Amino acid sequence: MDKNILNIINENDCTGCGACVATCPTKALFMDENIYSELHPYVDSNQCINCGKCIDNCPVVCQNKNEKIGVVYAAFRTNAEKRKTSASGGIGATLAEMFILTWKGSFYSTTMSEGYPIVRKCNNLADIENFKGSFYAQSHMNNAYKDIENELKCGNAVLFIGTPCQVAGLKNYITDEYEKLYTVDLLCHGVSPAKYLAEYIGFVCKNNLKRQKHTGVSFRSNLPRCDFVFCLWNGKNIVYRVPSLFSLYFRGFLKGITFRESCYQCKFKSVHRSGDMSIGDFIGLGKHVYYSDDPTRVSIILENTYKGSQLLDLIYKELKIEERSVDEALIEGISLKKSFPRTTKHVRFIQRYPKKGFIKAMLLTDGISFISDIIKVCVWKGLYILKRKK
């Protein structure tokens, strides 16, 4: 049997992180989409030398996780203007800004490029705006693994923010211990293949935007009427806006219908985190233990390692921050404990997708519920208007 990752890992366990491809010395491995548009590695057997490096670097096969969570914080950026276009408390953008400004380091994370989420280096402080918010689709690592390694070899400090499997893939790929590599993993709900998002945006543009252009997309923001709202932007102007309930893509993501298979059996849903720090929404804050501020736009910060404490020290003065307990974080923090359940709607969706495409597969799978939700909201709004007139 050939000694490569495709013969070791079950396809449904593969996260599509691309660490195996980056580490292949002969470029025998490459990333491509399967029939469900999920990113997976494929091998050119003529180029493979059976060295096994792809197996050694796979974060699913060789899991290297930190100790349990050290300290938990509830936090948000005090600069409301800078927090406007961020998701929840704006911690990721604050880390990026202070890392570049104070430590003169390099920041890598996900942004959009030609309708697809990719991981790349942030070029400057102004470029941070393009990394803000949440991109609810799987991002392609491209050359990020090698670029980060080259920067570390040159003595540069590097901050990487990504999903737990991407962080684990990077740590497995970077075999040497670099003091200047800092990692932050996101509390991940799951990821949908980027092709689904591209198909949905194409559908919206064809049917709603006509000749209008769009330059960006957002799902979360602290701007008015923009949190959990699917928005297409042209520069600083919104050209299309629809609540998550009425967006086929957004509701497919939130209801767990469209995740890649590995997300339903994620190996990284645990209090043993991949990153030096973990960030996300603080779900349930104030419900079970008193919290003095408005809990709706607050992030959770998990300090997992000494490097995580260094990152926290870097941004501490920019935050309103309060220590909380691990127990509180775990009460409603499902992403810390277990994977999203694989539903019958997901099964129906992936059976239909290869022949029907994203839009038709979603309508056939969730169309009745989709129309029902629209009717309910219209009735509620009608009753509300009548009540106000009285």
Side-chain angles (χ1 to χ4, degrees):
M1 181 185 290
D2 290 341
K3 192 179 180 182
N4 63 61
I5 194 64
L6 275 70
N7 291 321
I8 300 296
I9 189 173
N10 184 300
E11 185 180 62
N12 289 344
D13 289 331
C14 174
T15 67
C17 72
C20 56
V21 174
T23 199
C24 181
T26 63
K27 298 183 179 180
L29 288 168
F30 58 94
M31 298 298 289
D32 203 356
E33 296 172 350
N34 65 7
I35 62 170
Y36 308 115
S37 293
E38 298 176 357
L39 280 174
H40 284 277
Y42 292 87
V43 64
D44 179 351
S45 56
N46 294 322
Q47 296 291 325
C48 180
I49 58 174
N50 297 310
C51 65
K53 287 186 177 181
C54 54
I55 299 169
D56 295 337
N57 283 273
C58 174
V60 175
V61 176
C62 302
Q63 295 187 44
N64 295 306
K65 297 181 182 178
N66 296 315
E67 296 300 316
K68 284 188 177 181
I69 300 164
V71 189
V72 175
Y73 299 94
F76 59 89
R77 189 171 197 174
T78 53
N79 188 321
E81 188 64 30
K82 289 187 176 182
R83 199 173 70 245
K84 274 185 180 179
T85 50
S86 295
S88 59
I91 305 303
T94 310
L95 281 166
E97 182 179 321
M98 299 309 294
F99 196 85
I100 294 172
L101 193 63
T102 308
W103 289 358
K104 311 302 179 186
S106 299
F107 166 63
Y108 286 78
S109 194
T110 296
T111 186
M112 296 295 290
S113 176
E114 298 180 356
Y116 281 82
I118 64 164
V119 174
R120 69 165 173 85
K121 180 180 177 179
C122 177
N123 295 315
N124 48 54
L125 289 174
D127 193 25
I128 290 175
E129 283 297 320
N130 296 313
F131 292 80
K132 284 186 175 181
S134 299
F135 300 101
Y136 292 142
Q138 182 165 27
S139 55
H140 197 301
M141 289 295 290
N142 285 328
N143 296 315
Y145 287 122
K146 294 184 183 295
D147 292 343
I148 290 172
E149 182 182 39
N150 289 335
E151 293 224 34
L152 292 169
K153 287 180 177 179
C154 291
N156 299 332
V158 177
L159 170 65
F160 175 69
I161 300 180
T163 60
C165 56
Q166 288 176 329
V167 170
L170 175 63
K171 285 189 168 183
N172 278 15
Y173 174 78
I174 306 290
T175 53
D176 295 329
E177 288 289 333
Y178 286 99
E179 290 184 4
K180 292 187 177 181
L181 173 62
Y182 296 83
T183 57
V184 177
D185 70 68
L186 304 166
L187 300 188
C188 183
H189 179 61
V191 293
S192 301
K195 182 73 175 293
Y196 299 171
L197 178 59
E199 287 184 48
Y200 178 68
I201 291 175
F203 173 80
V204 168
C205 290
K206 181 179 178 181
N207 292 278
N208 298 90
L209 297 188
K210 297 179 180 179
R211 294 184 180 179
Q212 283 185 292
K213 294 181 179 180
H214 78 278
T215 57
V217 58
S218 67
F219 297 88
R220 301 283 309 280
S221 170
N222 286 300
L223 290 168
R225 295 171 56 228
C226 286
D227 197 24
F228 285 100
V229 175
F230 179 84
C231 297
L232 291 178
W233 298 74
N234 185 1
K236 295 184 178 181
N237 299 315
I238 296 174
V239 294
Y240 179 80
R241 183 203 319 251
V242 62
S244 58
L245 196 66
F246 301 154
S247 164
L248 283 175
Y249 180 83
F250 211 161
R251 69 185 283 125
F253 171 82
L254 292 175
K255 295 171 75 172
I257 297 172
T258 57
F259 294 161
R260 65 177 291 135
E261 286 297 324
S262 60
C263 293
Y264 300 106
Q265 50 200 19
C266 179
K267 303 294 190 291
F268 304 93
K269 298 282 188 180
S270 167
V271 292
H272 298 275
R273 306 304 299 171
S274 301
D276 298 307
M277 175 184 283
S278 305
I279 59 175
D281 295 328
F282 203 132
I283 308 297
L285 177 64
K287 286 186 180 180
H288 311 279
V289 182
Y290 176 73
Y291 181 67
S292 58
D293 284 295
D294 178 3
T296 56
R297 296 282 197 288
V298 181
S299 295
I300 188 170
I301 298 176
L302 310 179
E303 182 186 300
N304 305 321
T305 68
Y306 173 67
K307 285 185 179 180
S309 67
Q310 288 181 303
L311 289 175
L312 187 61
D313 289 342
L314 177 67
I315 62 172
Y316 197 87
K317 292 181 180 179
E318 302 291 318
L319 309 178
K320 176 71 180 293
I321 188 167
E322 181 179 307
E323 186 173 339
R324 310 294 284 188
S325 71
V326 175
D327 289 340
E328 182 188 9
L330 290 172
I331 295 173
E332 295 190 31
I334 304 299
S335 294
L336 277 168
K337 298 184 289 186
K338 58 184 180 180
S339 303
F340 198 96
R342 191 175 187 267
T343 64
T344 54
K345 282 193 174 184
H346 169 71
V347 177
R348 292 171 189 159
F349 172 80
I350 61 170
Q351 287 172 343
R352 291 162 172 156
Y353 174 76
K355 290 185 179 180
K356 302 291 185 181
F358 178 79
I359 300 298
K360 288 183 179 179
M362 269 299 294
L363 286 172
L364 288 168
T365 301
D366 196 46
I368 294 175
S369 176
F370 179 60
I371 294 168
S372 175
D373 287 339
I374 292 174
I375 293 171
K376 285 177 184 177
V377 170
C378 290
V379 170
W380 181 85
K381 282 188 174 181
L383 291 172
Y384 178 76
I385 291 170
L386 288 173
K387 187 177 180 181
R388 288 195 66 182
K389 285 184 178 179
K390 290 180 180 180

